[in-house]
Amino acid sequence: MEQILKALEAFGLKELWMIKEVAVLLTTIAVHFLFAYIFRKVIKAARKTQSIWDDVLVVSARKPLRYAIWLIGISVALMILGNHYESDLVEYVTVLREAVIVICIAWFSWNLISESSTRYLIQQ
């Protein structure tokens, strides 16, 4: 265990909260790339179907979900930081995260309505 801590100290990670910060940010990056890979596969599968609704749903959800992944990752990192420094940051991050999640849901709804009406008019 001491060898691992010495190796981490070489990278400037002396304390546990720093390790948590790096782990959360690396996990967020990994989830982002995994989401992008899976989403490309889902888009290809949706294009093969006859229904336009799966295409509309996938296209509408792409950007809001991507931003939500980053939002959650960064908010968890900020909460770790706030807890370490015993700051009021945790309260603000929680409120801000909830507000931005509502904005992402509204953004998805707006995209869904816009994309479905556009595709419906194209078919007419």
Side-chain angles (χ1 to χ4, degrees):
M1 185 67 174
E2 285 184 32
Q3 293 175 344
I4 294 173
L5 291 176
K6 286 181 182 179
L8 290 172
E9 284 180 12
F11 291 106
L13 301 172
K14 294 181 184 179
E15 299 183 29
L16 184 60
W17 71 271
M18 288 180 179
I19 297 169
K20 287 180 183 178
E21 284 287 327
V22 171
V24 165
L25 294 175
L26 289 176
T27 302
T28 302
I29 292 169
V31 168
H32 170 78
F33 284 117
L34 180 66
F35 170 77
Y37 174 77
I38 291 171
F39 223 73
R40 281 194 300 271
K41 298 290 184 183
V42 169
I43 288 173
K44 286 180 185 178
R47 287 185 181 154
K48 292 179 182 178
T49 63
Q50 296 292 328
S51 175
I52 65 165
W53 293 109
D54 53 357
D55 297 338
V56 168
L57 187 64
V58 169
V59 169
S60 300
R62 186 176 188 178
K63 283 188 179 180
L65 281 175
R66 184 174 288 166
Y67 280 92
I69 288 169
W70 280 102
L71 163 79
I72 292 169
I74 291 171
S75 69
V76 169
L78 286 174
M79 289 181 74
I80 292 170
L81 195 63
N83 285 333
H84 174 71
Y85 288 111
E86 297 174 2
S87 170
D88 292 337
L89 182 66
V90 175
E91 295 173 23
Y92 298 121
V93 168
T94 304
V95 171
L96 184 64
R97 180 182 58 217
E98 291 173 359
V100 175
I101 286 176
V102 169
I103 290 170
C104 285
I105 292 170
W107 185 11
F108 165 72
S109 301
W110 181 271
N111 286 345
L112 186 68
I113 293 167
S114 175
E115 190 69 29
S116 60
S117 64
T118 302
R119 298 226 181 172
Y120 176 77
L121 291 175
I122 289 172
Q123 281 187 345
Q124 297 300 326

